[in-house]
């Protein structure tokens, strides 16, 4: 079973190669960044990819974005993501749509080789492998009102945004400065887990989230 590994830590990358080869996988490529990962997948058409969530150059969500692209362009390739700690938004992104052949594990699980190999084989065969901590966080998120994270002033700002008011109009209504409104809005975006994007687009998403919960 052919595999491709993407991990910027050389020690962990070498260790993953040895583990996979020991249990019968053919490691076609072991790379250190998301761009090289996509090139390797296109070239080798692996059965499964093992990738770090955060990789060069930005060490943010490069691995996740590469995984989502792989799922779109090569849907027959299974993907197992590894993360230093639970990042529920990334796990949710990966699990949106087809959950066949996907996995999300904390790196600490790799230390238990038997469990890691079992999870990898399950994902490669079209199953799903989720770290218990990831499951717990996703369940908590499902039952959590995202607006509970907002302060009362942030709720006021969001309600006025839902009315279609501009930052200046919101500032006049709440008797605060424009800069204070801008800070509240940025805080709202962060607390509602809205990724960086064009500002007007995030405003729409925030309002939709508000109206959905309300």
């Amino acid at each position: 079973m052919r595999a491709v590994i993407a991990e910027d830590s050389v020690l962990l990358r070498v260790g993953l190669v040895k583990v996979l080869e020991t249990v019968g996988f053919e490691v076609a490529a072991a790379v250190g960044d998301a761009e090289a990962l996509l090139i390797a997948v296109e070239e080798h058409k692996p059965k499964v990819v093992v990738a770090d969530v955060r990789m060069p150059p930005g060490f943010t969500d490069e691995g996740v974005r590469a995984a989502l692209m792989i799922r779109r362009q090569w849907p027959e390739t299974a993907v197992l993501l590894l993360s230093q700690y639970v990042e529920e938004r990334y796990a949710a992104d990966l699990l949106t749509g087809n959950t066949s052949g996907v996995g999300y594990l904390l790196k600490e699980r790799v230390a238990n080789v038997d469990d890691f190999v079992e999870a990898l084989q399950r994902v490669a065969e079209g199953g799903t492998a989720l770290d218990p901590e990831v499951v717990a966080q996703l369940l908590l998120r499902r039952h959590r009102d995202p607006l509970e994270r907002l302060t009362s002033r942030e709720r006021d700002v969001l309600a006025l945004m839902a009315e279609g008011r501009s930052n200046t109009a919101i500032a006049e209504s709440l008797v605060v400065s424009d800069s204070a409104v801008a800070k509240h809005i940025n805080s709202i975006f962060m607390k509602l887990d809205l990724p960086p994007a064009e500002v007007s687009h995030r405003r729409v998403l925030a309002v939709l989230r508000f109206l959905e919960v309300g």
Side-chain angles (χ1 to χ4, degrees):
M1 200 178 293
R2 185 178 298 129
V4 167
I5 295 171
E7 166 59 56
D8 62 281
S9 167
V10 176
L11 288 177
L12 182 53
R13 187 165 71 237
V14 170
L16 288 170
V17 170
K18 290 186 178 297
V19 169
L20 266 63
E21 290 181 340
T22 298
V23 296
F25 283 87
E26 172 198 345
V27 180
V31 300
D33 60 74
E35 182 178 356
L37 168 60
L38 294 175
I39 293 172
V41 171
E42 183 175 17
E43 178 181 354
H44 300 289
K45 302 297 189 297
K47 182 67 176 177
V48 64
V49 165
V50 180
D52 191 357
V53 165
R54 298 171 180 261
M55 288 189 289
F59 292 97
T60 55
D61 62 349
E62 290 83 0
V64 177
R65 286 188 281 114
L68 293 175
M69 187 175 297
I70 290 168
R71 297 291 288 169
R72 288 194 299 269
Q73 296 190 10
W74 301 283
E76 70 283 358
T77 298
V79 176
L80 174 60
L81 286 179
L82 301 178
S83 181
Q84 193 69 38
Y85 50 89
V86 177
E87 299 179 86
E88 57 187 81
R89 178 168 63 85
Y90 297 154
D93 288 344
L94 182 66
L95 294 169
T96 298
N98 183 11
T99 59
S100 174
V102 297
Y104 189 109
L105 298 178
L106 294 181
K107 287 186 176 181
E108 64 187 52
R109 308 296 177 190
V110 179
N112 189 323
V113 175
D114 290 340
D115 288 349
F116 170 69
V117 169
E118 191 275 332
L120 177 61
Q121 290 175 333
R122 186 164 69 251
V123 169
E125 293 167 1
T128 303
L130 293 179
D131 194 283
E133 289 295 327
V134 174
V135 174
Q137 289 292 330
L138 290 176
L139 288 174
L140 178 63
R141 181 181 185 177
R142 175 177 296 179
H143 296 289
R144 185 172 62 213
D145 179 350
L147 296 184
E148 290 179 355
R149 308 178 205 173
L150 304 184
T151 65
S152 59
R153 179 46 58 94
E154 288 166 350
R155 286 170 177 261
D156 292 340
V157 170
L158 184 53
L160 292 170
M161 287 170 60
E163 294 178 10
R165 301 199 192 189
S166 66
N167 283 17
T168 299
I170 293 173
E172 291 175 353
S173 177
L174 298 178
V175 194
V176 296
S177 67
D178 284 2
S179 62
V181 171
K183 290 180 180 178
H184 286 314
I185 292 175
N186 284 332
S187 178
I188 289 169
F189 291 160
M190 291 180 60
K191 290 181 179 180
L192 295 185
D193 296 324
L194 297 177
E198 204 274 333
V199 173
S200 61
H201 179 59
R202 283 207 289 179
R203 287 179 77 98
V204 172
L205 291 177
V207 168
L208 288 174
R209 191 75 58 85
F210 173 76
L211 295 176
E212 176 185 353
V213 174

